[in-house]
Every structure is written in C-alpha cells, then in structure tokens.
Amino acid sequence: MQQAQVCIVGGGCVGLTLALGLAQKNISVLVLDAGKAPAPLGEQYSMRVSAISLASQQLFESLDVWPDIIASRATPYSAMDVRDADSFGKIAFDAASLDLPELGHIIENDAIRFALYEKLQAYSDVTLAFDSRYSTIHQTETDVLVTLDSGMPVMSKLLVAADGANSGVRRLFDMPLSFWDYDHHALVATVKTDLPHEHVARQVFLPTGPLAFLPLHEDNMHSIVWSTSPEHAEQLMSQDPQAFNKSLSAAIDMQCGLCEVQSDRAVFPLTMRYAQQWLKGRVVLMGDAAHTIHPLAGLGMNLGLKDAAHLINVLTNEKGEFAAHSVLRAYERTRKLDAQKHIAMMQGLKELFEGSHPAKKLIRGLGLSMVDNLGPIKNLFVKQAVGQ
C-alpha cells in the first residue's frame, strides 16, 4: 500500500504547484494523472498559453521554480492596449507608469508544467504517478482510500481534485455544479505579424467577442485567443490560411501589420462552471475542477494558482490535526468568494462589450475613456489586471 498525507488527482500546472508547495514543507504527496508525464518544450510554440500575473509570479518565486519557468520562452509584457472596435473607447497602460519592470509574462502552459515536474524530482516524499488511473475512491472520517487500475491502494489524509473542468472526482462525489454556456467558442493559434509586438498585450472587443494578441518569445510572434460566436468560429476554421490571415488582420485593425498563421487552429467551447460545494469530507476541489471563467481577462490559470497558494498556506500553518475540517472549510469559503467575484466580473464585461447596440457603444466608449483619463480609477483597474 502506498501512503501519502495528500493525494492530488491531476498533474496539471495547478496540481503540481500545490504538490511542490506541500513538499517543501515536508508534507508527503502523491500526484495521480492519467496522462503522460510533462516533457520539455518542442520547437513549435504550444497553443495553450497563460498570462501569468505578478501575484502568480510571486508564488512561483516563493517555490524557487520561477527561474526555471522563465528560462523556457517566457515573454514579459510591459504594456497593455485594450480597445473597443465599435466605439472610440480605449485604455492603455504600461509597467513604467506603475514603477514595475513588467506587467506579467506570457508563458506556454507546457513550460510551467515541465518546470514544476522537474523541480519535484528532488523530493523523496513525492510520488508522481503519471499514466495512472484510479478505479475507486472511498473515504472515512479520517482517511481517503484510492484504488488504482493496477490494483495498488493509496491511503491519504486528504484528496485534492485538480483534474480539470470535467472533473471525474467532482462527479464521483456528486458535488453540485452551476454552469452556463457563454455562447462563445475560443479559437487559438500561433501567428506571425509584419510588425514586432514590442512586448504589448493587445485586446480588441469585437461585436462577436474579444480577440487577444499575446506576445511570444520572438519579436513578431503572437498567441491569439479569438472568442466569438460558435457560427463565426466554425466559419473561421473552415477558411484556408490565406483567407483566415485576411480576416485576422482586419479584426485586429492591422495593429501589427499583416498576420500569417503559423500553426494549426483549434477551437473549444467556453462555459462558466462553479462548484456549489468545494469540500466533501476529506475531498476538496481546486482550479478548473472548482471554477472556469471566460478567458477575456486571462484570469483562469491565475485563479487556480490562487487556490493552490491558499491551500498550501492553510495546510502548512495549521496547528493540531492535519487537514482538519475547520481548516478546509476556511479554504472553501475564502476561495469561493473570490471565484464568485471574478465570475460576476467576467460576465458583466462580456455582456457590456458584446453586440453593436448604439447605447452599449456609447457606454463602452465613455467608460473606457473615463478609466483611461482618470488616474485613481485607472490605477485600480491596472492593479486588478496585474493581480495586485
């Protein structure tokens, strides 16, 4: 029988961050994941990237894994340009005005995951079980027993579900979920532009949804996230590369010159998910297993990392019984409130910037202009954007 104080189901960025934080506090951990172990980056950019906030950077720095992460094609962005394509509204800000070296970093998810995986190799109390599935999970008042498909039993004091938006653990323990369809699909791809990005993260709100251009390691390479209607996404996917390049260049209003797609295009539906219950006995949810939101502000990964940071803190600073119910309830209450706030904020932004109604266009234009021109309001906006 394998024993660990914490069993983490899900070896993605959030699950591995939690594992590293606990391991560094001498808490034994087993990470269970049905997929393959993380691997070094290939020559081609990964299509899944994240805008890592300063708060998330500070977490990685505290875990001494940040130097390894930024060594793998991490790209700092020092300015943001947000505009509404259908009105005069625009807001722009930069790191220098905030006395910061940068606003954040655009990093391939695979780079973060591999750096965490490599760092965990040094800890003898960590077991990384990739290519492994569980067959059953049972819990008592004091323990959780996980039986792997191989037949090996794993006993732990706490099971953390970090197994993604379609969490099998969440379903297994019948933890209720609220959700709604954003009626948006996100198209992601890597594109090359005539003009350099100059370390600026750009986002334009189109009538059908937001389009983000995120700077990558090479000066004229971007990762795009185009959130749009399902019908429009299907149309964009059906276009040949030349037609798609024209559509994309027009949508971003040639801010970086002509665009040329460099990768396959992928589309996935966008759904808000919010677990009404994050804790059931000794099973707790974290990351996308607990919440998913619209990517228009790039907060999804950062929210999950905040979950991990909070859980590391409460589990390593508690007195008495390990993973006591009162400690887990405090984690649940705190993180649920933060998730609710961000879900509401994203829904409000989506509704405000969607469509071409004249009243909405006027409100958007006035609102962005007011934020851009009023220092105190703009500073609050910027601090939210960088996770401060």
Side-chain angles (χ1 to χ4, degrees):
M1 174 181 287
Q2 178 86 38
Q3 290 188 316
Q5 289 170 277
V6 179
C7 177
I8 302 170
V9 179
C13 297
V14 173
L16 293 180
T17 297
L18 175 65
L20 183 57
L22 297 179
Q24 291 180 349
K25 298 294 185 178
N26 299 313
I27 294 173
S28 58
V29 177
L30 183 142
V31 177
L32 177 64
D33 193 291
K36 295 186 180 300
L41 292 179
E43 291 185 7
Q44 302 298 318
Y45 289 103
S46 306
M47 284 196 287
R48 298 300 296 268
V49 306
S50 292
I52 297 300
S53 69
L54 296 181
S56 294
Q57 175 181 331
Q58 290 164 4
L59 170 61
F60 289 136
E61 287 173 341
S62 72
L63 300 177
D64 194 30
V65 72
W66 182 245
D68 304 302
I69 291 174
I70 61 171
S72 297
R73 292 200 301 237
T75 307
Y77 61 98
S78 54
M80 292 187 71
D81 183 294
V82 181
R83 60 184 69 189
D84 180 33
D86 227 14
S87 76
F88 55 85
K90 174 184 174 181
I91 180 170
F93 50 91
D94 56 45
S97 63
L98 298 170
D99 293 323
L100 295 170
E102 62 271 323
L103 298 175
H105 288 76
I106 306 301
I107 309 176
E108 294 160 79
N109 290 8
D110 288 344
I112 299 171
R113 192 167 176 246
F114 183 69
L116 291 163
Y117 174 76
E118 286 283 279
K119 199 76 173 179
L120 283 163
Q121 306 297 321
Y123 295 88
S124 58
D125 277 347
V126 173
T127 301
L128 300 171
F130 286 89
D131 288 309
S132 300
R133 298 178 182 272
Y134 63 85
S135 57
T136 62
I137 303 176
H138 298 287
Q139 65 170 321
T140 68
E141 289 186 4
T142 57
D143 299 284
V144 181
L145 176 64
V146 180
T147 303
L148 305 188
D149 275 356
S150 64
M152 185 181 78
V154 176
M155 185 75 77
S156 66
K157 292 295 181 184
L158 175 68
L159 185 140
V160 179
D163 52 342
N166 297 310
S167 170
V169 175
R170 188 186 64 221
R171 292 196 306 271
L172 180 64
F173 285 90
D174 196 26
M175 301 166 88
L177 184 73
S178 296
F179 63 93
W180 64 70
D181 188 344
Y182 281 120
D183 197 30
H184 269 178
H185 284 190
L187 184 152
V188 297
T190 302
V191 302
K192 182 178 182 180
T193 58
D194 283 345
L195 303 178
H197 51 62
E198 298 181 323
H199 296 278
V200 178
R202 294 175 169 84
Q203 182 157 265
V204 57
F205 285 93
L206 303 162
T208 55
L211 167 61
F213 266 57
L214 306 175
L216 292 175
H217 189 61
E218 296 171 74
D219 288 344
N220 59 345
M221 298 293 285
H222 300 76
S223 177
I224 67 162
V225 183
W226 194 342
S227 301
T228 187
S229 67
E231 298 77 18
H232 188 220
E234 183 178 356
Q235 176 189 343
L236 291 171
M237 287 293 288
S238 68
Q239 290 179 339
D240 62 39
Q242 185 176 8
F244 178 77
N245 293 339
K246 290 180 179 179
S247 297
L248 183 61
S249 300
I252 197 69
D253 197 26
M254 298 285 286
Q255 288 186 51
C256 295
L258 291 173
C259 302
E260 182 181 351
V261 66
Q262 300 291 296
S263 69
D264 291 336
R265 286 162 272 169
V267 167
F268 53 92
L270 299 178
T271 303
M272 189 291 298
R273 297 177 183 87
Y274 173 75
Q276 299 171 27
Q277 183 179 3
W278 292 27
L279 174 64
K280 197 160 191 176
R282 291 188 168 272
V283 175
V284 66
L285 305 181
M286 185 178 71
D288 284 356
H291 48 72
T292 62
I293 63 172
H294 199 288
L296 67 87
L299 295 175
M301 172 76 79
N302 295 299
L303 270 181
L305 292 172
K306 286 174 73 175
D307 293 345
H310 196 89
L311 197 51
I312 291 166
N313 182 58
V314 298
L315 289 176
T316 57
N317 288 297
E318 64 179 329
K319 307 297 181 183
E321 178 194 1
F322 179 72
H325 182 74
S326 59
V327 169
L328 299 176
R329 280 285 292 130
Y331 158 80
E332 180 188 42
R333 284 194 299 269
T334 300
R335 296 306 308 137
K336 282 178 74 172
L337 284 173
D338 193 41
Q340 289 169 1
K341 178 184 75 173
H342 285 91
I343 287 168
M345 181 172 65
M346 291 305 99
Q347 183 63 19
L349 284 173
K350 176 184 177 294
E351 291 179 358
L352 175 61
F353 283 94
E354 195 170 49
S356 300
H357 191 282
K360 273 191 176 183
K361 290 164 63 175
L362 178 61
I363 293 170
R364 292 196 298 253
L366 291 173
L368 285 175
S369 296
M370 180 180 71
V371 170
D372 199 41
N373 288 294
L374 293 179
I377 296 177
K378 185 173 181 177
N379 287 341
L380 287 173
F381 181 91
V382 173
K383 285 182 178 180
Q384 181 69 42
V386 301
Q388 289 189 320

